[in-house]
Amino acid sequence: MTVVSIRRVGDPVLRRVAAPVTDFDAELDRLVSDLTQTLAESRGAGLAAPQIGVSLRVFAINPDLPGNDLKLDHLVNPVLAFPDDQEQAGPEGCLSIPGIYLDTKRRMNVSAKGFTKKGDPVQVVGDGILARCMQHETDHLDGILFIDRQDAEGRQRILDTLREAAWFEGLPAPDVKVSPH
């Protein structure tokens, strides 16, 4: 288990669609361990593999999130379904964009199917912060950042703010795209 540095906005790996996991092996076990350890150290809600430079469809979530009755700490090859059209809005941040929190609209309820690192099928049904987290991390696997969910004015504000952030020095200018969701 290793704490790995988290990639920041502007890193091209964050904009790639991650590949599905096909091998449930020791390498995947190490990746999940690195993700869960890095997430625990950062005290975040979730962390996707692209955020540590690995373009595979895996994410870690905080097992103590409200509603996470399974105490699930990761999901491999997640597929989301939405049982209704109910939405939630609230502040959202990202470990790849430190210090920035934006009011972001998400679906309130979600069902996520996927696999454990051992290849066992699992389904997580959640609402509120758990649903927000699973949507946010799945977006990462699709090359989408939460800033893409902002309107045109909000996207411009975030670009201006990013350029002024002390940690942003030397990173390539981020592209902000319109989320298809």
Side-chain angles (χ1 to χ4, degrees), residues 91-97 100-102 104 132 136-137 140 146:
E92 192 167 317
C94 180
L95 295 171
S96 292
I97 312 172
I100 306 288
Y101 296 89
L102 299 170
T104 305
R132 177 179 294 280
H136 180 108
E137 300 313 324
H140 273 299
F146 84 108

Side-chain angles (χ1 to χ4, degrees), residues 108-125:
M108 175 60 85
N109 302 295
V110 68
S111 170
K113 290 183 180 180
F115 300 90
T116 67
K117 63 185 177 182
K118 296 185 185 311
D120 298 323
V122 64
Q123 179 175 358
V124 182
V125 177

Side-chain angles (χ1 to χ4, degrees), residues 158-180:
I158 193 69
L159 285 173
D160 294 342
T161 302
L162 285 173
R163 287 184 189 104
E164 295 173 11
W167 56 263
F168 191 71
E169 183 76 26
L171 288 172
D175 58 334
V176 177
K177 44 187 174 177
V178 177
S179 172

Side-chain angles (χ1 to χ4, degrees), residues 15 36 44 59 64 67-68 70 76 80 107 115 119 130 143 154 159 164 166 171 173 179-180:
R15 290 309 196 167
T36 56
F59 64 73
D64 296 325
N68 189 356
L70 298 176
V76 178
L80 302 185
R107 297 295 274 283
F115 300 90
L130 180 59
L159 285 173
E164 295 173 11
L171 288 172
S179 172

Side-chain angles (χ1 to χ4, degrees), residues 3-19:
V3 174
V4 181
S5 65
I6 296 173
R7 304 292 179 98
R8 302 277 174 92
V9 65
D11 189 313
V13 72
L14 296 175
R15 290 309 196 167
R16 286 188 211 122
V17 175

Side-chain angles (χ1 to χ4, degrees), residues 51-115:
Q51 291 180 273
I52 62 168
V54 180
S55 193
L56 286 174
R57 298 189 75 77
V58 181
F59 64 73
I61 60 173
N62 183 327
D64 296 325
L65 286 176
N68 189 356
D69 298 334
L70 298 176
K71 297 299 181 196
L72 188 74
D73 67 355
H74 71 280
L75 195 57
V76 178
N77 295 337
V79 176
L80 302 185
F82 304 100
D84 57 45
D85 292 332
Q86 190 176 355
E87 294 183 331
Q88 61 175 313
E92 192 167 317
C94 180
L95 295 171
S96 292
I97 312 172
I100 306 288
Y101 296 89
L102 299 170
D103 193 43
T104 305
K105 193 178 289 189
R106 296 275 185 187
R107 297 295 274 283
M108 175 60 85
N109 302 295
V110 68
S111 170
K113 290 183 180 180
F115 300 90

Side-chain angles (χ1 to χ4, degrees), residues 19-25 28 56 76-77:
V21 171
T22 56
D23 297 321
F24 292 80
D25 56 12
L28 177 62
L56 286 174
V76 178
N77 295 337

